[in-house]
């Protein structure tokens, strides 16, 4: 069973460009979470999605950032008009659907975004 | 804010047991203790979780005090590959809420 997959692993963008980060959850998982880790800082929650729904976006910056988890395909974190402060590692995690089981989150390897 | 308190850093000799403490004095009755670790530049890795009984798996053991206000993660025979930041987290097991990471403990395993 493949783990959480993220691509690209490394992404370089110039200021003002758009960054699109993709996350494929583990097979059978229907809950996706995005976290951001700024250089030398801890992991911070950004957004929690289920298929076609945003459940909690309390950690998302109000502008330029958006996320989706369509019925088919991976979850996408989109950053418009990137700035140097967006340079960070972005981690995706997934957890299985409800059913009374434990909902530990399984993390992907991350996408390292560098904004020049 | 994180509900746990951990020492910022620890050293452990290779081959010895690493005992990582965590205080969670405000833990609620329906909250479990979870441990994750993050090896440099990698995604966090789930290690173990427990409610009130001691737990053991292939990676580690978790000892929770009777009053549940603190716990210890034990890596029985630390290797260099166990060098990482270890996060102690309390959360409701049936909740799909976000994981709130504190600063964790940076464990250095020394040859």
């Amino acid at each position: 069973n493949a783990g959480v997959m993220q691509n690209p692993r490394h992404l370089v963008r110039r200021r003002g460009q758009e960054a699109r980060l993709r996350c494929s959850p583990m097979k059978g998982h229907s809950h996706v979470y995005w976290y951001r880790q700024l250089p030398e800082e801890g992991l911070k929650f950004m957004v929690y999605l289920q298929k076609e729904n945003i459940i909690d976006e309390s950690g998302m910056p109000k502008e330029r950032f958006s996320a989706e988890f369509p019925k088919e395909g991976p979850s996408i974190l989109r950053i418009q008009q990137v700035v140097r402060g967006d340079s960070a590692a972005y981690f995706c995690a997934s957890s299985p659907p409800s059913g009374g089981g434990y909902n530990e989150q399984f993390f992907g390897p991350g996408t390292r975004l560098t904004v020049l | 804010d994180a509900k746990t308190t951990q020492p910022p850093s620890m050293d452990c000799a290779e081959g010895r047991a690493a005992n990582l403490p965590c205080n969670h004095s405000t833990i609620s009755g329906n909250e479990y203790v979870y441990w994750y670790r993050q090896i440099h530049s990698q995604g966090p890795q789930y290690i173990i979780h427990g409610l009130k009984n001691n737990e053991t798996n292939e990676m580690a053991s978790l000892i929770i005090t009777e009053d549940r206000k603190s716990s210890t993660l034990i890596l029985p025979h630390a290797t260099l590959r166990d060098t990482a930041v270890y996060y102690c987290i309390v959360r409701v097991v049936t909740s799909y809420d976000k994981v709130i990471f504190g600063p964790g403990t940076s464990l250095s395993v020394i040859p």
Side-chain angles (χ1 to χ4, degrees), chain B residues 52-64:
Chain B
K52 55 183 178 181
N53 297 320
N54 298 338
E55 302 288 344
T56 296
N57 63 20
E58 64 277 5
M59 289 183 67
S61 294
L62 174 61
I63 309 298
I64 302 174

Side-chain angles (χ1 to χ4, degrees), chain A residues 12-73:
Chain A
V12 179
R13 286 287 178 266
R14 297 190 180 279
R15 282 179 296 171
Q17 292 184 320
E18 178 180 286
R20 292 171 68 87
L21 288 64
R22 287 177 289 278
C23 169
S24 297
M26 289 180 68
K27 186 177 181 180
H29 285 194
S30 55
H31 302 258
V32 166
Y33 309 78
W34 286 92
Y35 295 82
R36 177 167 67 173
Q37 188 168 35
L38 295 168
E40 306 303 323
E41 293 191 16
L43 288 143
K44 302 295 184 186
F45 166 80
M46 298 182 75
V47 61
Y48 159 38
L49 310 100
Q50 295 181 25
K51 285 285 188 181
E52 301 183 280
N53 287 303
I54 296 175
I55 307 302
D56 179 357
E57 56 181 348
S58 58
M60 286 280 270
K62 294 293 186 286
E63 298 177 347
R64 303 187 296 108
F65 284 73
S66 62
E68 63 177 11
F69 188 18
K71 187 176 180 180
E72 301 291 338

Side-chain angles (χ1 to χ4, degrees), chain B residues 41-91:
Chain B
S41 297
Q42 298 182 22
Q45 177 188 23
Y46 163 81
I47 300 173
I48 198 168
H49 73 279
L51 181 63
K52 55 183 178 181
N53 297 320
N54 298 338
E55 302 288 344
T56 296
N57 63 20
E58 64 277 5
M59 289 183 67
S61 294
L62 174 61
I63 309 298
I64 302 174
T65 58
E66 192 169 346
D67 64 7
R68 301 211 323 123
K69 293 185 177 181
S70 65
S71 60
T72 301
L73 179 75
I74 301 172
L75 308 178
H77 305 286
T79 70
L80 299 179
R81 288 176 293 181
D82 292 321
T83 293
V85 178
Y86 287 77
Y87 300 99
C88 171
I89 294 153
V90 295
R91 57 197 297 255

Side-chain angles (χ1 to χ4, degrees), chain A residues 31 33 35 37 43-45 48 56 58 91 95-105 107-109 112, chain B residues 32 34 36 38 40-46 49 87 91-103:
Chain A
H31 302 258
Y33 309 78
Y35 295 82
Q37 188 168 35
L43 288 143
K44 302 295 184 186
F45 166 80
Y48 159 38
D56 179 357
S58 58
F91 293 99
S95 58
S98 58
Y102 301 117
N103 66 328
E104 60 262 30
Q105 296 179 14
F107 284 79
R112 275 144 193 86
Chain B
Y32 281 60
Y34 279 74
Y36 286 82
Q38 186 177 24
H40 181 64
S41 297
Q42 298 182 22
Q45 177 188 23
Y46 163 81
H49 73 279
Y87 300 99
R91 57 197 297 255
V92 178
V93 70
T94 54
S95 167
Y96 285 91
D97 204 0
K98 53 188 172 287
V99 176
I100 300 175
F101 290 91

